[in-house]
Amino acid sequence: IRKLMVGHPDVLHYELLDAVVPLVPPGAFATTSGAPFVEITGDGVDKAFGLRQVCERLQVRAEEVVAFGDNHNDIAMVTWAGRGIAMGNAHPALLAVVDEETLSNLEDGVAAVLETLV
């Protein structure tokens, strides 16, 4: 099993995450993307892992990476990247780990930052 998704018809994803985290065994990690379920994976199997793999193959250093996120499942990725940016509509858990915030996804926050880079 690479990923286990857990949902409940009466429990919202953030409440469900709070309930599941204490039950996850060592070597596993629980998170949510804001979708109506919780994702459980092996510890370290996250967006940062995937991004690191791509960057290693392309010989791109973490300091050269800009990553955008809006929820729990983006935390590892934005903290790994040289420049981690929270969307304006980001969950407080993600906002707590970044130094920079852009406009929301509905306000083209990613484009607003990318335009400053070109």
Side-chain angles (χ1 to χ4, degrees):
I1 296 174
R2 299 214 185 256
K3 182 184 281 190
L4 174 65
M5 299 167 121
V6 179
H8 190 283
D10 301 321
V11 181
L12 297 176
H13 45 283
Y14 298 118
E15 291 178 57
L16 188 58
L17 181 62
D18 290 341
V20 168
V21 166
L23 305 174
V24 174
F29 179 73
T31 189
T32 184
S33 64
F37 53 81
V38 169
E39 305 167 30
I40 302 171
T41 61
D43 201 17
V45 180
D46 51 33
K47 290 183 179 184
F49 172 82
L51 186 54
R52 266 193 315 272
Q53 298 298 309
V54 170
C55 288
E56 285 174 12
R57 288 186 180 162
L58 297 175
Q59 298 180 342
V60 174
R61 295 174 298 132
E63 298 80 31
E64 300 173 282
V65 175
V66 177
F68 299 86
D70 67 353
N71 222 308
H72 289 83
N73 65 331
D74 298 317
I75 291 173
M77 176 182 64
V78 299
T79 56
W80 178 83
R83 185 173 175 191
I85 303 172
M87 301 302 295
N89 56 299
H91 189 277
L94 187 112
L95 288 168
V97 300
V98 297
D99 294 324
E100 190 175 346
E101 183 179 345
T102 187
L103 301 171
S104 76
N105 59 323
L106 297 176
E107 300 169 299
D108 299 324
V110 171
V113 172
L114 294 180
E115 286 174 348
T116 68
L117 300 176
V118 293

